[in-house]
Amino acid sequence: MRRRSFEAHGLLSDVGRILVDCPPGLVSCVLRDVTARGARLVVPDAIRFPDKLCLLVDAEDASLPCTVVWRRAGEMGVVFA
């Protein structure tokens, strides 16, 4: 997947994947409240994500570096780097 600019779609609800290092793999998530600056991600509760991560959005053919800015049970907010 190539990295490119992400085009925000307002209140997009789409499926994405988060690339994790330990254990290595991809974790599915749901994108919500997407803007040009960031998004709210619905994620599995059992996984502790690092502060910096890579979000893969198939519908946009995008690979986006992100920083986590807030966390709640089953959700986290990210800003695009």
Side-chain angles (χ1 to χ4, degrees):
M1 182 172 297
R2 62 190 172 93
R3 183 174 176 215
R4 69 177 186 106
S5 297
F6 182 66
E7 297 174 22
H9 294 285
L11 296 177
L12 175 71
S13 179
D14 200 357
V15 176
R17 295 174 289 154
I18 300 169
L19 183 61
V20 294
D21 293 330
C22 188
L26 295 171
V27 177
S28 292
C29 65
V30 176
L31 286 71
R32 298 277 169 88
D33 303 331
V34 178
T35 69
R37 294 186 49 195
R40 177 171 55 102
L41 306 179
V42 179
V43 296
D45 280 340
I47 298 175
R48 173 75 177 151
F49 293 95
D51 291 337
K52 298 209 180 272
L53 50 90
C54 183
L55 177 64
L56 308 175
V57 184
D58 291 338
E60 295 291 328
D61 190 28
S63 174
L64 306 167
C66 301
T67 301
V68 178
V69 292
W70 60 265
R71 299 169 195 269
R72 277 186 264 180
E75 293 183 324
M76 63 184 174
V78 298
V79 293
F80 303 130

